[in-house]
């Protein structure tokens, strides 16, 4: 139960309003890839944001703990928490087109944290950035270092963001739907690259996606989320063979197959949706009383 | 587009703009009633005297003929002779220009410092009472025009707590022979700190009066722009790297948020230069604006033309500088 990242009974609420995450618990073991699966609006991204301390201001963590490398982040003062997250974890964002600062060259965007926060020498940081860009298979890395984001393609920018995420040798990477904003042809390469980098650097990876196909390729374990509640936590082989929760089973059934062109899409049956909705409601009633 | 092409195109449009301004000013001040020549002569002058003097200044010709003659002279750098001051217009106008430029630039600097600080504080303490305080003070500053601020400042720092000079540009007691009319710049170069203090003492209130409304505009727009930028992904990403709020605002958000503000500041700066006309009058500051009012009162046609053309030129230069700054600050435009 003690992962490198261990979230326990995390509840996040809108200030003066609805509940976004309901009693979420999950574990990401060191060096393992944990998938976070759910429909749009299920709260997948919010878990990542809660860990990294970038929840929108309108949201509050009302209860629960977030243990990172054996320390409960919630108990730390803000500056210390920020430093700890910055040193141990990193984010691969969803949209590479908006995640790089448009008015700054690529090089500094990778090296600055090394210099500013970790106290590296400028030359060492630049050397490291070049190495990383080579690792993510970017040709002509020195030129790219001098480029501005708008001069590069989406795929290139995502590679840069991946390189940047691994720059400080974090022990946990949170990838928030890292391929959603990309071209289908590029998606596969990026996915492959993330797996490759994760294995080489032996980091734990929390992989947020709504794409079961993607998940089956990269993850060791997964959590299925519905309306901010974890409905199933499983390891991958077991999940694909014997999903326990009907919602999980329905999701698996809904995954389109490309081998049979005559097959039609299977929606998640209403009875299953009703069942998860009921569970969420029961949970809310239980916690309210 | 390269910088050179931008400048060339801009020079062309500037020439066209100035030509248009010249036509309008030339026609308008001749069409409105009032005879400058009659005002020059003593009450007992005969019609023959008036006609002779009018012929001497060329006012007996048609407006079109006058314009052609005037334009011909202007292309040779001759803007005519002031009727009321009997000196070449170009000497008079260029002699006063440095005073107005110094005042405007000081005012702009004050506006940027105050407005920028307010915007940064408002963003730092957004969604709290701190931001509300910035909004309220900016709203107040903006709802009072610059000349009223001038009067308020005179009351405050000239009457109740007289720490600044309320009129003029430099105290007569100051012992210095200026070689240029850029008094402040020259004093700075010559490290005459007593003179600098005296000049600032004169300039502070008119500059502040001009700066307050502009500062309010900068505060509102830059804060809005910063707040929008704070939601963007690269700012969030910087937070996850361990950067604190101050760093994120100043280093990640500000360089991008400043761009829309810059355009507006350019436009507003030209309004500020326009505002010097009344403010200089209020503080008896010997600049171009003060001279413009005298010129209009005396119906000194050549002088009015010269001043208006110079103001128009100033406006176009300010816009050109803003456009170039925009290219420098926005990497997307730099190589395109």
């Amino acid at each position: 139960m003690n992962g490198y990242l261990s979230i326990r009974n995390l509840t996040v609420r809108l200030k003066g309003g609805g509940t976004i995450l309901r009693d979420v618990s999950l574990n990401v073991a060191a060096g393992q890839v944990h998938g976070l699966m759910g429909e749009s609006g299920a709260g997948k991204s919010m878990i990542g944001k809660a860990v990294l301390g970038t929840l929108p201001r309108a949201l509050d963590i009302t209860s629960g703990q977030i243990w990172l490398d054996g320390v409960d982040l919630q108990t730390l003062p803000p500056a210390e928490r920020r430093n700890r997250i910055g040193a141990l974890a990193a984010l691969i964002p969803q949209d590479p087109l908006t995640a790089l600062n448009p008015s700054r060259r690529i090089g500094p965007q990778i090296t600055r944290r090394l210099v500013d926060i970790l106290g590296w020498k400028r030359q060492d940081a630049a050397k490291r950035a070049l190495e990383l860009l080579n690792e993510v298979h970017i040709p002509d890395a020195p030129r790219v270092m001098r480029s501005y984001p708008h001069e590069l393609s989406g795929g290139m920018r995502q590679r840069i963001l991946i390189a940047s995420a691994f720059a400080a040798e974090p022990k946990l990477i949170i990838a928030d739907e890292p391929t959603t904003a990309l071209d289908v042809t590029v998606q596969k390469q990026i996915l492959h690259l993330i797996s490759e980098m994760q294995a080489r650097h032996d980091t734990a990876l929390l992989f947020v996606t709504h794409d079961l196909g993607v998940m089956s390729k990269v993850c060791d374990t997964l959590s299925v989320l519905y309306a901010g509640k974890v409905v199933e936590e499983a390891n991958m082989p077991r999940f694909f063979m014997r999903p326990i929760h009907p919602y999980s089973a329905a999701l698996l059934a809904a995954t389109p197959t490309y081998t049979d062109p005559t097959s039609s899409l299977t929606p998640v049956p209403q009875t299953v949706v009703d069942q998860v909705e009921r569970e969420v409601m029961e949970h809310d009633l239980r916690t309210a009383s | 587009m390269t910088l050179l092409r931008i400048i060339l195109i801009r020079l062309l449009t500037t020439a066209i703009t100035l030509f248009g301004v010249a036509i309008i000013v030339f026609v308008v001040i001749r069409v409105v009633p009032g005879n400058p020549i009659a005002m020059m002569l003593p009450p007992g002058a005969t019609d023959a005297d008036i006609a002779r003097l009018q012929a001497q200044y060329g006012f007996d010709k048609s407006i079109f003929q006058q314009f052609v003659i005037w334009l011909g002279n202007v292309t040779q750098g001759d803007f005519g002779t002031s009727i009321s001051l009997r000196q070449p217009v170009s000497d008079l106008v260029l002699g006063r220009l440095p005073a107005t430029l110094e005042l405007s630039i000081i005012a702009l600097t004050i506006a940027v410092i105050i407005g920028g600080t307010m915007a940064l504080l408002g963003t730092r303490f957004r969604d709290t009472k701190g931001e509300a305080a910035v909004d309220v003070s900016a709203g107040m500053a903006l709802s009072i025009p610059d000349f009223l601020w001038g009067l308020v400042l005179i009351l405050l720092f000239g009457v109740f707590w007289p720490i600044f000079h309320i009129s003029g540009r430099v105290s007569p007691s100051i012992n210095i022979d200026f070689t240029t009319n850029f008094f402040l710049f020259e004093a700075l170069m010559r490290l005459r700190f007593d003179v600098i203090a005296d000049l600032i003492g004169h300039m502070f209130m008119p500059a502040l009066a001009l700066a307050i409304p502009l500062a309010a505009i900068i505060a509102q727009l830059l804060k809005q722009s910063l707040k929008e930028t704070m939601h963007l992904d690269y700012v969030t990403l910087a937070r996850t790297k361990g950067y604190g709020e101050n760093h994120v605002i100043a280093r990640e958000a500000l360089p991008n948020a400043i761009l829309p503000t810059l355009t507006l500041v350019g436009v507003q700066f030209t309004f500020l230069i326009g505002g010097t006309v009344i403010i200089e009058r209020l503080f008896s500051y010997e600049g171009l604006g003060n001279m413009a009012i005298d010129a209009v009162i005396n119906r000194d046609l050549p002088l009015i033309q010269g001043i208006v053309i110079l103001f128009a030129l100033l406006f176009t230069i300010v816009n050109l500088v803003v456009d170039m700054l925009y290219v420098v600050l926005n990497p997307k435009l730099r190589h395109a």
Side-chain angles (χ1 to χ4, degrees):
Chain A
M1 172 75 193
N2 280 324
Y4 185 74
L5 169 71
S6 177
I7 298 174
R8 290 178 203 167
N9 308 102
L10 182 69
T11 296
V12 170
R13 286 211 172 88
L14 204 60
K15 271 174 190 146
T19 312
I20 306 296
L21 293 178
R22 298 174 154 86
D23 231 355
V24 168
S25 295
L26 62 86
N27 270 293
V28 188
Q32 294 276 298
V33 184
H34 185 83
L36 207 47
M37 169 76 200
E39 303 173 16
S40 300
K44 312 182 289 290
S45 293
M46 288 305 148
I47 294 180
K49 286 190 201 300
V51 173
L52 294 168
T54 57
L55 279 176
R57 289 186 161 209
L59 300 185
D60 266 336
I61 294 178
T62 51
S63 65
Q65 301 146 8
I66 300 169
W67 294 78
L68 181 65
D69 198 32
V71 175
D72 181 6
L73 293 176
Q74 292 308 103
T75 61
L76 299 176
E80 207 175 309
R81 181 170 53 207
R82 213 168 52 222
N83 287 338
R84 193 168 178 80
I85 293 166
L88 297 176
L91 172 72
I92 299 175
Q94 178 169 6
D95 186 355
L97 298 185
T98 57
L100 288 165
N101 190 329
S103 65
R104 190 170 286 141
R105 291 173 200 275
I106 297 298
Q109 301 208 39
I110 303 175
T111 57
R112 266 188 45 233
R113 72 184 314 190
L114 299 177
V115 178
D116 290 354
I117 303 209
L118 303 175
W120 287 37
K121 281 201 196 110
R122 218 164 269 280
Q123 305 93 298
D124 295 344
K127 224 175 94 193
R128 172 88 175 126
L130 274 179
E131 276 170 30
L132 283 161
L133 289 181
N134 285 328
E135 260 187 67
V136 295
H137 313 297
I138 284 182
D140 202 2
R143 189 186 59 80
V144 170
M145 295 263 286
R146 276 180 272 111
S147 304
Y148 284 97
H150 71 274
E151 298 166 326
L152 305 166
S153 70
M156 280 281 256
R157 293 193 220 181
Q158 192 60 297
R159 283 171 193 276
I160 288 160
L161 286 161
I162 292 168
S164 177
F166 282 92
E169 289 292 352
K171 289 281 161 263
L172 171 72
I173 299 266
I174 294 176
D176 186 4
E177 307 209 32
T179 59
T180 315
L182 297 171
D183 227 275
V184 188
T185 47
V186 185
Q187 280 187 5
K188 209 171 165 187
Q189 301 167 13
I190 293 295
L191 212 55
H192 189 77
L193 180 65
I194 292 175
S195 295
E196 182 190 324
M197 292 291 281
Q198 181 269 334
R200 181 182 307 148
H201 293 265
D202 194 29
T203 46
L205 176 62
L206 182 63
F207 196 97
V208 180
T209 181
H210 56 243
D211 187 337
L212 264 179
V214 164
M215 190 155 282
S216 66
K217 292 193 188 78
V218 288
C219 299
D220 302 306
T221 53
L222 94 168
S223 300
V224 180
L225 214 61
Y226 186 89
K229 190 174 180 300
V230 176
V231 294
E232 178 156 2
E233 191 169 6
N235 63 43
M236 281 320 270
R238 205 275 280 143
F239 180 78
F240 276 96
M241 283 188 310
R242 266 186 307 112
I244 291 172
H245 198 279
Y247 179 68
S248 310
L251 277 184
L252 275 175
T255 310
T257 51
Y258 300 107
T259 44
D260 178 10
T262 60
S263 71
S264 54
L265 290 175
T266 321
V268 176
Q270 190 59 41
T271 49
V272 176
V273 175
D274 289 346
Q275 187 188 337
V276 264
E277 290 284 1
R278 199 163 52 242
E279 283 178 22
V280 168
M281 217 140 69
E282 278 165 7
H283 172 267
D284 283 358
L285 286 171
R286 220 170 32 246
T287 48
S289 59
Chain B
M1 210 169 357
T2 61
L3 214 56
L4 188 70
R5 244 191 95 192
I6 295 174
I7 294 172
L8 281 177
I9 290 175
R10 197 45 83 89
L11 282 177
L12 194 70
T13 54
T14 301
I16 295 169
T17 307
L18 291 181
F19 185 73
V21 168
I23 291 178
I24 292 167
V25 175
F26 209 88
V27 173
V28 166
I29 59 176
R30 276 169 178 74
V31 168
V32 292
N35 187 341
I37 300 300
M39 293 176 76
M40 286 172 69
L41 290 167
T46 61
D47 284 353
D49 290 334
I50 293 177
R52 196 163 41 79
L53 210 56
Q54 276 194 322
Q56 189 186 324
Y57 279 95
F59 292 140
D60 53 342
K61 298 191 174 66
S62 74
I63 290 181
F64 178 74
Q65 278 175 316
Q66 289 183 43
F67 184 69
V68 172
I69 294 169
W70 178 76
L71 199 66
N73 290 336
V74 163
T75 50
Q76 290 158 30
D78 176 10
F79 281 81
T81 307
S82 157
I83 298 173
S84 57
L85 300 168
R86 319 221 169 156
Q87 288 174 43
V89 167
S90 47
D91 291 359
L92 287 169
V93 165
L94 291 178
R96 285 292 186 94
L97 176 66
T100 297
L101 276 184
E102 285 190 344
L103 181 65
S104 308
I105 290 168
I106 295 282
L108 178 67
T109 311
I110 295 175
V112 168
I113 292 172
I114 297 178
T117 310
M118 280 170 72
L120 288 171
L121 286 175
T123 310
R124 178 70 182 81
F125 300 106
R126 60 191 178 284
D127 308 325
T128 68
K129 290 199 178 82
E131 188 190 356
V134 168
D135 286 341
V136 169
S137 42
M140 272 169 49
L142 205 54
S143 55
I144 300 174
D146 48 11
F147 56 89
L148 275 184
W149 278 117
L151 291 173
V152 170
L153 291 174
I154 289 176
L155 273 179
L156 276 179
F157 299 119
V159 179
F160 292 127
W161 190 31
I163 51 169
F164 294 112
H165 302 280
I166 58 165
S167 83
R169 189 178 177 200
V170 61
S171 301
S173 57
I174 287 295
N175 183 21
I176 184 171
D177 285 323
F178 289 111
T179 51
T180 67
N181 279 326
F182 286 97
F183 290 177
L184 186 64
F185 183 70
E186 195 180 330
L188 277 169
M189 289 294 109
R190 286 160 69 171
L191 299 175
R192 286 287 302 269
F193 295 108
D194 55 328
V195 182
I196 295 171
D198 184 71
L199 287 167
I200 293 288
H202 281 94
M203 247 190 238
F204 182 76
M205 282 201 290
L208 189 60
L210 288 166
I212 288 173
L214 180 55
I217 293 173
I218 293 176
Q220 285 181 336
L221 193 81
L222 184 59
K223 178 170 72 68
Q224 191 54 40
S225 177
L226 271 170
K227 279 180 70 179
E228 281 163 20
T229 311
M230 292 302 282
H231 292 296
L232 298 182
D233 288 351
Y234 58 85
V235 174
T236 308
L237 192 62
R239 287 182 197 284
T240 69
K241 292 178 181 177
Y243 288 110
E245 187 74 10
N246 293 341
H247 179 105
V248 165
I249 293 175
R251 298 289 305 275
E252 297 289 334
L254 187 60
N256 297 294
I258 216 161
L259 289 172
T261 315
L262 187 71
T263 320
L264 184 106
V265 169
V267 176
Q268 292 294 328
F269 184 51
T270 56
F271 287 144
L272 186 150
I273 296 175
T276 58
V277 173
I278 293 175
I279 290 294
E280 285 180 6
R281 193 63 168 188
L282 191 60
F283 288 91
S284 307
Y285 185 85
E286 293 126 26
L288 211 51
N290 212 343
M291 184 185 256
I293 291 181
D294 285 334
V296 170
I297 289 172
N298 294 325
R299 307 223 12 100
D300 191 337
L301 304 189
L303 190 54
I304 297 175
Q305 281 153 210
I307 293 172
V308 172
I309 295 285
L310 190 63
F311 267 117
L313 187 64
L314 268 182
F315 291 178
T316 50
I317 291 173
V318 168
N319 282 325
L320 180 65
V321 169
V322 168
D323 284 359
M324 284 195 293
L325 268 179
Y326 205 86
V327 174
V328 170
L329 289 178
N330 189 348
K332 280 186 197 166
L333 296 177
R334 216 174 294 161
H335 312 289

